[in-house]
Structure formats: C-alpha cells, structure tokens
Amino acid sequence: MQVTRSLFFLTAGILVVLSVLSLLRSFMGTDLRIYLVYSILMAADAACMFVCGLFLNRKIKLLFWFAFILLGLNILLTIFDQFGLVDLLFVLLNMATLASLIIFRRELLPQ
C-alpha cells in the first residue's frame, strides 16, 4: 500500500514540475497563452494526485473510486493527445499506479 501512495506522490511531483515549466513558457510570447491553461490543469491534477496519496490509507470508498477515475482519465487523455516519449513515461507511471491501486484494493476499500 505504501508503494501506491509513493506513486501518487511521485506523479504529483512530476505534474508540479511540468506545471511550473508550462507556466514559465506561457510568459515567453503572446501566442502561448494555451500553456497557461495547461499549467493550471496540471496543477489541479497534481493537487488531486496529492490528496489521493495523502488520504488513501483512510479507507474512504469515494476517494478510492476518485483515484481510480483520475488515473483512468490521465491515461486516456494522454493517449489521445500528441504522443511522445514524455507522454509514454507518464502513461506508464499512471498505469503502474493504477495497477498498484487495483492490487491493494482490499486494503484500501472499507470492509
């Protein structure tokens, strides 16, 4: 179960770094405002990942399913965008987190 929490925190950290980089890129030109939107969305995703990792051990059914849906959306939305090496690594990280979540579901869901 600690592996799952660590993967959520790792993903949140990566998203924070990417969010800051997108935010910095949004100020480099006038036509790059879309990077501001990307930055905000990545920061929101990072916050959700952090909350999932922080409270996952509390055995809250709604939080488990929120984490499950969040990871599924991260995987699907990344696949249907322009796909590169960073996207592949992000999908693999989310798939590993999702697999860990499924493996430890008995410990994470209330009885």
Side-chain angles (χ1 to χ4, degrees), residues 31-48:
D31 293 334
L32 299 175
R33 284 182 236 143
I34 190 68
Y35 290 105
L36 182 62
V37 173
Y38 289 158
S39 176
I40 292 168
L41 291 174
M42 281 188 265
D45 193 14
C48 291

Side-chain angles (χ1 to χ4, degrees), residues 4-6 8-9 48-57 63:
T4 309
R5 293 182 75 203
S6 299
F8 272 109
F9 291 140
C48 291
M49 287 286 193
F50 183 76
V51 167
C52 288
L54 197 61
F55 296 111
L56 201 60
N57 63 341
L63 184 67

Side-chain angles (χ1 to χ4, degrees), residues 55-69:
F55 296 111
L56 201 60
N57 63 341
R58 302 253 173 117
K59 295 186 177 187
I60 302 170
K61 189 175 187 177
L62 183 63
L63 184 67
F64 175 85
W65 289 111
F66 175 74
F68 186 85
I69 291 170

Side-chain angles (χ1 to χ4, degrees), residues 1 9-10 33 51 68 72-74 96 104 108:
M1 187 167 75
F9 291 140
L10 176 65
R33 284 182 236 143
V51 167
F68 186 85
L73 282 174
N74 277 347
F104 294 113
L108 297 172

Side-chain angles (χ1 to χ4, degrees), residues 15-29:
L15 284 168
V16 166
V17 169
L18 292 174
S19 175
V20 169
L21 291 174
S22 292
L23 182 65
L24 293 174
R25 189 169 182 182
S26 70
F27 294 117
M28 290 183 178

Side-chain angles (χ1 to χ4, degrees), residues 6 8 11 16 26-27 30 47 53 71-72 76 79 88 90 106 109:
S6 299
F8 272 109
T11 306
V16 166
S26 70
F27 294 117
T30 56
L71 289 167
L76 284 175
I79 289 173
L88 176 64
F90 187 69
R106 295 195 191 276
L109 285 172

Side-chain angles (χ1 to χ4, degrees), residues 68-108:
F68 186 85
I69 291 170
L70 180 67
L71 289 167
L73 282 174
N74 277 347
I75 293 167
L76 284 175
L77 293 176
T78 304
I79 289 173
F80 291 115
D81 190 21
Q82 295 176 355
F83 201 77
L85 180 62
V86 174
D87 297 311
L88 176 64
L89 295 175
F90 187 69
V91 166
L92 291 175
L93 178 61
N94 279 290
M95 290 176 94
T97 309
L98 184 61
S100 177
L101 190 70
I102 292 170
I103 289 169
F104 294 113
R105 70 182 175 274
R106 295 195 191 276
E107 289 86 9
L108 297 172

